[in-house]
Amino acid sequence: METFATWVVGIVQSVGYPGLFIAMFFGNALVPIPVELIMPPAGYLVQQGNMNLFGVMASAIAGDICGSLFSYYIAYHFGRRFLFAYGKYLFFTHDKVEMLDRFFASHGEISVLTGRLTPGLRHFMAFPAGLSHMNIKKFVVYTGVGGGLWTSILVLVGYVIGGNKEVVKHYLTYVEGAVIGGLIIMIVMYVRHHRKKTPGGSNGVA
């Protein structure tokens, strides 16, 4: 996968913004290309004056959203048909599909937002969102916000640290840890807020 990602980075460097869009699109639509291998080099190219920051961010976020929408529509139109036909072999029954629907109806926004900021999970968030028929406008907004935040962080890492892949990889470990810590705090605050709004919660009765 890293060899393939290196090839993709080479395309980005040679083709520029369209290559960045294509890499981000396929990374979210078909092949889970780690964005951590794509965006820091783009940030370094910005720092060197070879690419424009606005162009990098616009191309990356547009590719991110379009690729996610591709996966969303695949799951939206074919996911249930597949699961209802073969889900029993994957221990994914009708009841679990209904549970997923209820969960995304109540918590879809926070799930997509935090999922898009979670390394290893961000590439797959479009599938449960599409499967549960999450509102498309909300999906685009929260996918764009989450993906945009993570992309911005990675571009900043590449801009500040430079083009040394090993150094970038070293510091990304700390960056990912800080982001995950922030996500945990965000989720705890969300759960507490949701419980207060839910009837029967600590402040649910006036």
Side-chain angles (χ1 to χ4, degrees):
M1 175 60 74
E2 186 164 348
T3 301
F4 179 70
T6 300
W7 176 72
V8 171
V9 170
I11 292 178
V12 171
Q13 292 175 334
S14 59
V15 180
Y17 306 114
L20 186 57
F21 173 89
I22 292 170
M24 294 296 286
F25 177 91
F26 281 101
N28 288 279
L30 300 172
V31 183
I33 306 170
V35 69
E36 295 83 0
L37 297 177
I38 299 173
M39 296 313 302
Y44 175 66
L45 291 173
V46 172
Q47 191 269 339
Q48 292 291 298
N50 295 321
M51 296 187 82
N52 175 269
L53 178 60
F54 177 80
V56 164
M57 293 303 301
S59 301
I61 293 174
D64 198 328
I65 292 175
C66 290
S68 297
L69 278 173
F70 180 88
S71 298
Y72 173 94
Y73 277 115
I74 292 294
Y76 188 100
H77 291 291
F78 304 107
R80 287 173 182 265
R81 190 182 309 171
F82 174 83
L83 286 177
F84 289 160
Y86 305 104
K88 60 183 177 182
Y89 303 109
L90 303 172
F91 304 103
F92 209 97
T93 62
H94 285 58
D95 291 340
K96 290 184 178 179
V97 174
E98 292 177 358
M99 287 175 60
L100 182 66
D101 288 345
R102 291 194 296 270
F103 179 83
F104 262 78
S106 300
H107 312 292
E109 294 89 343
I110 189 68
S111 298
V112 171
L113 177 61
T114 56
R116 295 293 293 167
L117 283 163
T118 305
L121 182 61
R122 67 183 313 277
H123 302 280
F124 306 104
M125 285 308 302
F127 290 102
L131 184 64
S132 65
H133 292 183
M134 180 180 177
N135 179 276
I136 185 65
K137 292 181 180 179
K138 291 182 178 180
F139 173 75
V140 169
V141 168
Y142 286 93
T143 290
V145 172
L149 284 173
W150 185 232
T151 297
S152 300
I153 292 170
L154 295 177
V155 169
L156 179 62
V157 168
Y159 187 93
V160 173
I161 296 176
N164 190 315
K165 291 195 299 183
E166 293 304 317
V167 176
V168 168
K169 187 182 297 185
H170 172 74
Y171 280 100
L172 270 180
T173 302
Y174 298 102
V175 172
E176 290 176 353
V179 170
I180 291 173
L183 289 176
I184 292 173
I185 295 173
M186 183 189 303
I187 292 171
V188 169
M189 292 176 63
Y190 173 82
V191 170
R192 293 183 62 182
H193 177 71
H194 185 75
R195 284 179 176 174
K196 289 180 180 180
K197 291 177 60 178
T198 302
S202 58
N203 291 336
V205 179

